[in-house]
Amino acid sequence: MSDAVTRRDGRDETYDEKMDRNWAELLQELRVLQTGVQILAGFLLTLPFQSRFETLDDFQIALYLGNVVLAALTTALILLPVSAHRRLFRKGLKDTLVASADRIAKVALAGVALLSVGTSALVFDVTAGRSAGVTVGAALLAVLLVLLVLIPNRLRHKAARD
């Protein structure tokens, strides 16, 4: 019996080749996520050194600190598959790595989305007031849910029907 895997797209690859390709694709996605998190985290880390930072109220400081923690945790999540790969290298567990990295990437996407919402809400709260911050935060959360959850789910269901 051949270990070749034939897919709907006509690819003829072994199971190991498929896992290697999936792993490489996941790592590329994580690189893109990491850049976004680094930009947002860098922005957040500069704020305490601005003179206006001292005027933040308790809510704004809590939102700021929550965003910093979220940025650190999201960064750790994005690094987790690489760390796991280093620990499990040459153990014949590529399928386990790919499956777990897939789940981790989905959680990291949620972290990036929440970080984008939280950072935008903070900026609007400080510059345009509390109601603007809450409104923008809620609107961005709704838009990101559509873009990151609903549309991909719809595409998956459409592909399953076709």
Side-chain angles (χ1 to χ4, degrees):
M1 181 170 101
S2 169
D3 64 345
V5 177
T6 303
R7 297 177 27 154
R8 288 187 313 166
D9 62 5
R11 255 189 209 130
D12 186 22
E13 58 189 355
T14 66
Y15 181 76
D16 288 340
E17 289 169 338
K18 178 182 175 184
M19 288 297 104
D20 288 343
R21 180 177 50 78
N22 288 344
W23 178 250
E25 289 174 6
L26 276 165
L27 286 179
Q28 185 59 31
E29 291 169 8
L30 292 170
R31 284 183 189 105
V32 171
L33 281 174
Q34 181 65 30
T35 301
V37 172
Q38 286 174 330
I39 291 168
L40 287 172
F43 165 73
L44 288 170
L45 294 176
T46 64
L47 292 181
F49 302 102
Q50 307 300 317
S51 60
R52 191 164 176 194
F53 190 80
E54 295 174 6
T55 65
L56 298 183
D57 63 28
D58 290 343
F59 174 80
Q60 293 165 336
I61 290 171
L63 184 55
Y64 168 77
L65 292 173
N67 283 327
V68 170
V69 169
L70 186 57
L73 291 174
T74 303
T75 299
L77 274 173
I78 292 169
L79 295 174
L80 179 56
V82 176
S83 176
H85 182 263
R86 284 293 92 213
R87 303 261 184 233
L88 302 175
F89 187 64
R90 294 189 179 165
K91 304 280 189 219
L93 297 170
K94 183 71 66 107
D95 53 346
T96 300
L97 284 169
V98 169
S100 62
D102 175 61
R103 289 188 297 274
I104 291 164
K106 289 173 184 169
V107 175
L109 271 170
V112 172
L114 290 174
L115 185 57
S116 297
V117 167
T119 302
S120 298
L122 176 62
V123 169
F124 272 80
D125 189 300
V126 170
T127 59
R130 180 73 27 93
S131 61
V134 170
T135 301
V136 166
L140 280 174
L141 182 60
V143 168
L144 288 173
L145 281 172
V146 169
L147 294 176
L148 301 178
V149 178
L150 296 177
I151 290 175
N153 281 342
R154 177 171 270 187
L155 292 172
R156 186 181 72 222
H157 291 297
K158 184 181 181 320
R161 283 192 312 262
D162 296 343

